[in-house]
Amino acid sequence: MYPKDSQSHPHRRTTLTTAALLAVAAALVAGCGSGGPSTGAAPPQAGCPTALASARAAVTRAENTDTAWHGPTTGPAAVPDKSIVYVAQTMTNPGVAGVAKGVEEAAKAIGWQLRVIDGDGTPAGIQAALSQAITLRPSGIVIGGFDPQLTSQQMARAEAAHIPVIGWHAVGSPGPSERPKLFTNVTTKVEDVAKISADWIIARSAGDAGVVLFTDDSIPFAKNKAELIRKELATCSGVRLLSYENIPIPDAGIRTPQAVSSLLSRFQDEWTYSAAINDLYFADAAPALRAAGKPGSGPPFNIGAGDGDPSAFQRINSEQFQAATVPEPLNQQGWQIVDEFNRAFAERPASDYVAPVHIATADNSDGATSWDPSGYREGYRRIWAG
């Protein structure tokens, strides 16, 4: 990622009194002045000048859209006649569904068979789905957005059957895993996603925000992401975490509107920003915010720390209760999963590619409904062609 052109500040010759010079110096120490996209003007006494400057620089880099494909360029040629089963935590999770679409597209390109089994968002449903996947004896299985520890017996069966398993958002970090046994786990770095989400709030608010954080603590990956967001927000003393809302994703449609109504009653205009571990919370929050007379363009200004599904982009582009998202390149990650399986089938190591973080806003999305970096389809096709 490379920074966009920074804002220039015209200089002019003038004569300042000693008092004026002191005032200018004090403003600079406090982190005042404009800079970076979407940050607004800082208050006269910003409470976290160092954190604010760092956040503004990070947001500028992450909002850049002029990126090229820096993923793998070498690897094994396509291994023929393979089958993949994608076990989804729940296909109502737009991120899980978006990756499934990418896997489907890539499987067709490489000439493999794909089947998707929906776990319906419950431990019993996920266990049954993975059991069914193993019974089908596929060449490989995808863990789509759930904790493999929920399915330890099924994971042991897959390992005993020598079926390679690849995760998407299955464990807390990208790359291979021994416990649970995963050939690799495809995800952006949760630390980077969490940090840039919090930095966007710090930068856009100029270090002065009342924040509500939405998460699902039943998913270790999501809980960890929320804790990292909270930690980064705490680097700025002017940013206050008003509430930590633990709402399971399968229950979000029912519980989020009720929670939002309660939060508006409790905090009123003090609630100016929100972050969520998944964009779908803002789809569910929108009716309650609208009913309370809140403007779609904010406040509260809402950022999703994943996954950047089409509905999130639509809310952002139309200024309807979401201002930004840190999107996963969902389709590209689906292609990466297929490429990683091809490496596993060829008895080659995982590529260890990790996509960089990106922030999508109405100003830089150009009306798109996904974050789809360029070059990966051509790159993977060249590898598979041998």
Side-chain angles (χ1 to χ4, degrees), residues 99-162:
V99 174
K101 182 180 178 181
V103 173
E104 180 182 18
E105 182 182 287
K108 183 177 180 180
I110 203 172
W112 296 348
Q113 298 298 313
L114 172 70
R115 180 166 176 176
V116 177
I117 304 177
D118 194 341
D120 294 325
T122 67
I126 292 167
Q127 289 164 6
L130 186 51
S131 292
Q132 182 182 353
I134 295 165
T135 301
L136 293 170
R137 302 288 295 182
S139 307
I141 295 173
V142 184
I143 299 297
F146 61 87
D147 179 8
Q149 292 181 359
L150 292 173
T151 56
S152 56
Q153 292 182 356
Q154 290 81 4
M155 290 292 291
R157 285 177 54 202
E159 186 173 358
H162 304 290

Side-chain angles (χ1 to χ4, degrees), residues 26-193:
L28 290 172
V29 170
C32 296
S34 61
S38 307
T39 58
Q45 294 295 326
C48 55
T50 302
L52 179 57
S54 175
R56 283 176 165 167
V59 167
T60 298
R61 290 192 298 270
E63 287 185 342
N64 178 34
T65 59
D66 185 19
T67 58
W69 173 240
H70 295 295
T73 57
T74 61
V79 179
D81 303 323
K82 296 298 180 180
S83 61
I84 303 298
V85 175
Y86 184 97
V87 180
Q89 182 242 357
T90 171
M91 289 295 281
T92 63
N93 181 326
V96 172
V99 174
K101 182 180 178 181
V103 173
E104 180 182 18
E105 182 182 287
K108 183 177 180 180
I110 203 172
W112 296 348
Q113 298 298 313
L114 172 70
R115 180 166 176 176
V116 177
I117 304 177
D118 194 341
D120 294 325
T122 67
I126 292 167
Q127 289 164 6
L130 186 51
S131 292
Q132 182 182 353
I134 295 165
T135 301
L136 293 170
R137 302 288 295 182
S139 307
I141 295 173
V142 184
I143 299 297
F146 61 87
D147 179 8
Q149 292 181 359
L150 292 173
T151 56
S152 56
Q153 292 182 356
Q154 290 81 4
M155 290 292 291
R157 285 177 54 202
E159 186 173 358
H162 304 290
I163 302 174
V165 178
I166 289 178
W168 180 80
H169 284 203
V171 294
S173 59
S177 169
E178 284 300 321
R179 291 290 179 269
K181 184 68 174 179
L182 299 173
F183 178 74
T184 196
N185 183 53
V186 175
T187 179
T188 49
K189 291 183 179 178
V190 66
E191 298 87 353
D192 295 344
V193 173

